[in-house]
Amino acid sequence: MANTLEQGTAAGSGRRPGTPPGDGGTGPVLEITDLVIEHRRERSREMFRAVDGVSLAIGAGETVGVVGESGSGKTTLAMAATGLGATGSGGLRLLGRDLRALRSRELRALRPEVQVVFQDPHGSLDPRQSVRSGLRELRGLQPERTSWIDDEALLEQVRLAPELLDRYPHQLSGGQAQRVCIARALVMRPRLIVADEPTSGLDVSVQADVLELLRASQRTAGASMLFISHDLAVVRSICQQVHVMFRGKVVESGPVDQVFTDPQDPYTRRLIEAMPGARWRARR
Amino acid sequence: MAAEPTFETAPAARPDGDLLAVRDLTATAALADRSLTLLDGVSIAIAPGEVLGVVGESGSGKTTLARAVVGLLERNVSIAGGAIELAGETIVAPGVGATDQARGRRVGMVFQGASRSLNPLIRVRRQLAEVLRRHEPGISRDDVTRRSEDVLREMRIEDPDRVLDSYPHQLSGGLRQRVAIALAVVTRPSLVIADECTTALDVTTQAEVVRLFRTLIDDLGLGLLFVTHDLMLASDLCDRIVVMSQGRVVESGPTAEVLDRPQDPYTRRLLAAVPTWTEGVENPHA
Ligand SMILES: Nc1ncnc2c1ncn2[C@@H]1O[C@H](COP(=O)(O)OP(=O)(O)OP(=O)(O)O)[C@@H](O)[C@H]1O
Ligand SMILES: Nc1ncnc2c1ncn2[C@@H]1O[C@H](COP(=O)(O)OP(=O)(O)OP(=O)(O)O)[C@@H](O)[C@H]1O
Ligand SMILES: [Mg+2]
Ligand SMILES: [Mg+2]
């Protein structure tokens, strides 16, 4: 087999897990304090708070989950955290730097360290580019950083056949497009992966492999992850900490097992009760 | 109103009363250097008031099957064999196909990935209005507004007005997905094809959407083709399940039977990989 993610990240980067260069690697990778982000209501002057006073931190090598109601501000939070969306007000430190104080050149230098896997895979791939030419473009931006693995081996990591390299996005199934997005994030060996529903289009057996792959990137490269998902079982299996969001606010936070076995907030309880599969469990 | 399409071969009488019957369907895709079989002799049937779950491997052909039913295959994909009948009328066969307005009125489709169901350049209000007007050309402006608001409320959207005035990119993933479902059900079609239509919904909203589907099924006899990766959800909603792998149906039957006594090795593997809430959570950091 060609290069694997584990070998590639460890050998290629020469940095010790959990101690990335740049800021000494001691502080949190992402630190958000009392973040408020407002959106304007269409056809009115009114603003509303999509994110309303959220605080969270992600340490090096840590995976933090965010679950919550649809429309509760998870994606808005993720976009702010990566400097890709409105940053609002409140504390926002990425890799030890105040995100709002960064000049655009500095922000561009940070870009490869933070990779985002968006909620809508087909919508986030360029429809005019084959998988291969999309990867070529990424590699052109960061030749050294991405040289640890070739295209075929990269696709194999996300359980895709190399023949898909020559496909265009509309010629991929939903789950294949999603895995291409994950591969595009991993090739950069980022220090923070922000993944918005990254496995929602995958059948459970492929999902298990992709989750294992994400865990591996965390173990070997010390990558941290902000993991947004509606699948509580997946969050419980991959995250250490979880934050539960409801209407722009974090209503409950803690270690996954604690939050999911002994939920304190009524909304968290409702979420757990509404998990599908009641009939399934009843028969087991 | 558009005339019903006519076909050279008259549809045979339907003894079994299936709403949708897909018979031995084969679909191929033309690539630069070769052709690829996406569906390989797939047969399914849905009766009015029935929910058929389609589960299976990523890339096994679920979306291709769903798109074939509504006649919206990618340009390089074509039907090489078999037929699809809707209420006894052949709507897809080799050489038959392309857009069909009658089918548009009777079949609602929710595409995988809301970006494929929604037009990014048009506000939700106009998208819903267009669907309603196409279906009922004489509908009044007030009725359009009322039914648009009602269907969004059915989707548990609390402020339908704001959503109606928004462009898709101003909505969260789950709101977009619910708008896509609303577009598919607002005209009360007899068949809905839903391709991974709950992936962006939190479980409480998911339960609400499932409840809405149940109401339409029980009250209006809606038939539902429900493509999903979520076996738990399938076990809650579906009457019968087909399992697909590599373009073929490898197993089918009543939901409980398929999930409790899977015969096919692929189905067994799939079920073994379901992350269970209590044990299967193997967390190396815990
Ligand atoms: N660009 C925008 N302009 C106006 N409103 C917006 C914009 N983007 C998001 N919103 C609104 O802000 C709220 C929070 O959206 P966000 O996408 O963060 O939710 P989410 O938690 O990710 O939801 P989901 O689980 O459905 O994806 C929603 O009501 C959404 O409609
Ligand atoms: N236009 C196309 N040209 C070539 N191959 C295609 C095309 N569309 C789909 N395919 C291939 O056909 C197979 C079936 O795709 P389809 O989208 O039907 O899968 P699916 O079961 O819906 O998967 P998923 O669960 O990942 O959405 C996949 O291997 C895909 O790569
Ligand atoms: Mg979102
Ligand atoms: Mg699909």
Side-chain angles (χ1 to χ4, degrees):
Chain A
M1 210 188 82
N3 210 347
T4 69
L5 184 70
E6 305 226 2
Q7 293 159 354
T9 40
S13 73
R15 59 163 108 112
R16 275 181 296 127
T19 55
D23 56 308
T26 45
V29 169
L30 178 69
E31 194 173 18
I32 293 173
T33 36
D34 216 12
L35 186 71
V36 174
I37 297 167
E38 300 193 312
H39 287 308
R40 199 175 66 83
R41 254 177 229 282
E42 190 60 20
R43 288 189 165 153
S44 88
R45 291 244 169 71
E46 232 179 301
M47 305 289 285
F48 70 96
R49 290 190 168 188
V51 173
D52 190 4
V54 168
S55 301
L56 64 83
I58 305 181
E62 200 182 19
T63 294
V64 171
V66 178
V67 301
E69 206 189 25
S70 168
S72 61
K74 303 180 297 296
T75 299
T76 304
L77 174 73
M79 293 300 105
T82 51
L84 291 171
T87 49
S89 64
L92 201 49
R93 297 181 75 81
L94 184 62
L95 303 170
R97 325 275 287 275
D98 179 352
L99 201 52
R100 293 196 201 84
L102 291 179
R103 266 175 295 211
S104 62
R105 222 193 61 220
E106 296 168 303
L107 194 60
R108 232 175 306 130
L110 270 189
R111 251 313 93 82
E113 302 281 7
V114 182
Q115 290 296 309
V116 186
V117 180
F118 293 98
Q119 202 167 4
D120 184 350
H122 269 121
S124 68
L125 291 170
D126 182 342
R128 294 158 308 182
Q129 268 189 338
S130 69
V131 176
R132 192 191 300 279
S133 61
L135 282 169
R136 193 183 304 129
E137 186 176 295
L138 277 185
R139 290 178 187 278
L141 296 173
Q142 297 286 330
E144 275 167 37
R145 192 178 256 278
T146 55
S147 66
W148 61 281
I149 192 166
D150 63 29
D151 288 352
E152 282 76 11
L154 179 67
L155 255 63
E156 193 180 313
Q157 294 280 308
V158 290
R159 263 183 61 178
L160 289 177
E163 64 186 51
L164 296 188
L165 279 169
D166 293 311
R167 298 276 186 87
Y168 289 85
H170 68 272
Q171 300 173 328
L172 298 172
S173 80
Q176 288 166 345
Q178 199 159 38
R179 281 174 281 167
V180 167
C181 293
I182 293 171
R184 288 172 56 90
L186 291 176
V187 73
M188 284 290 171
R189 284 180 326 187
R191 287 169 57 193
L192 176 66
I193 299 173
V194 175
D196 201 350
E197 301 279 1
T199 61
S200 60
L202 303 179
D203 61 273
V204 284
S205 82
V206 174
Q207 173 175 288
D209 286 356
V210 168
L211 291 176
E212 187 43 47
L213 176 70
L214 290 172
R215 282 194 201 106
S217 77
Q218 184 183 47
R219 271 198 306 273
T220 58
S224 308
M225 188 152 57
L226 180 66
F227 191 90
I228 301 173
S229 177
H230 288 303
D231 190 326
L232 305 185
V234 165
V235 168
R236 196 167 168 186
S237 81
I238 196 166
C239 300
Q240 292 95 60
Q241 300 282 321
V242 62
H243 301 271
V244 182
M245 282 188 76
F246 184 67
R247 309 212 167 153
K249 292 191 155 75
V250 169
V251 293
E252 180 156 9
S253 307
V256 280
D257 280 333
Q258 181 191 311
V259 170
F260 289 141
T261 54
D262 187 20
Q264 300 300 308
D265 184 82
Y267 177 68
T268 317
R269 283 198 207 112
R270 258 196 287 148
L271 265 187
I272 294 170
E273 275 159 21
M275 273 174 65
R279 288 190 188 178
W280 164 290
R281 283 187 294 273
R283 292 200 305 268
R284 241 121 260 261
Chain B
M1 241 174 44
E4 291 286 309
T6 52
F7 296 105
E8 296 193 0
T9 43
R14 313 268 330 130
D16 47 350
D18 283 333
L19 180 58
L20 177 74
V22 174
R23 300 185 201 284
D24 215 18
L25 195 72
T26 298
T28 53
L31 292 173
D33 52 340
R34 71 218 145 92
S35 112
L36 208 67
T37 302
L38 306 191
L39 295 176
D40 187 6
V42 169
S43 298
I44 58 166
I46 301 180
E50 187 180 44
V51 186
L52 178 70
V54 179
V55 306
E57 211 169 356
S58 169
S60 60
K62 305 181 296 296
T63 297
T64 307
L65 173 63
R67 284 177 163 264
V69 173
V70 289
L72 291 171
L73 292 166
E74 292 291 341
R75 241 182 305 166
N76 67 332
V77 179
S78 56
I79 301 299
I84 302 179
E85 291 168 16
L86 182 64
E89 186 184 348
T90 302
I91 54 168
V92 172
V96 179
T99 37
D100 161 3
Q101 295 196 14
R103 172 169 45 200
R105 284 198 298 277
R106 282 179 287 164
V107 185
M109 169 93 194
V110 189
F111 292 91
Q112 181 174 17
S115 64
R116 301 182 145 200
S117 283
L118 305 181
N119 184 332
L121 305 176
I122 303 180
R123 286 196 169 90
V124 172
R125 187 181 298 283
R126 213 176 102 204
Q127 300 197 42
L128 274 165
E130 278 174 5
V131 168
L132 281 166
R133 291 213 176 93
R134 210 179 310 135
H135 185 249
E136 294 166 42
I139 190 170
S140 74
R141 188 180 269 251
D142 284 353
D143 279 353
V144 167
T145 306
R146 184 179 48 78
R147 286 180 57 189
S148 300
E149 285 173 0
D150 285 353
V151 74
L152 293 187
R153 276 200 204 92
E154 283 177 346
M155 292 294 135
R156 227 186 70 172
I157 290 175
E158 283 170 13
D159 43 357
D161 241 20
R162 172 175 79 89
V163 170
L164 285 169
D165 283 334
S166 298
Y167 290 97
H169 77 269
Q170 294 169 320
L171 301 174
S172 78
L175 282 168
R176 278 198 296 270
Q177 199 162 46
R178 280 176 280 167
V179 169
I181 300 172
L183 283 166
V185 303
V186 68
T187 58
R188 300 301 192 235
S190 50
L191 176 69
V192 168
I193 315 284
D195 191 359
E196 301 283 356
C197 73
T198 59
T199 49
L201 303 180
D202 64 273
V203 287
T204 63
T205 309
Q206 217 174 65
E208 214 63 44
V209 167
V210 164
R211 210 166 299 147
L212 170 79
F213 275 133
R214 266 263 86 90
T215 313
L216 296 177
I217 291 156
D218 296 341
D219 296 358
L220 304 174
L222 172 82
L224 179 61
L225 179 82
F226 193 77
V227 178
T228 184
H229 284 302
D230 192 332
L231 295 170
M232 301 286 114
L233 193 61
S235 88
D236 284 351
L237 178 66
C238 302
D239 302 309
R240 287 186 305 122
I241 284 187
V242 303
V243 183
M244 288 188 67
S245 177
Q246 299 182 0
R248 320 174 75 116
V249 171
V250 294
E251 180 150 11
S252 66
T255 303
E257 210 166 279
V258 171
L259 297 183
D260 293 355
R261 286 176 296 282
Q263 302 298 312
D264 183 81
Y266 172 70
T267 316
R268 293 205 187 130
R269 251 187 295 137
L270 198 63
L271 287 165
V274 172
T276 49
W277 186 234
T278 39
E279 9 99 38
V281 284
E282 160 254 338
N283 186 335
H285 314 280

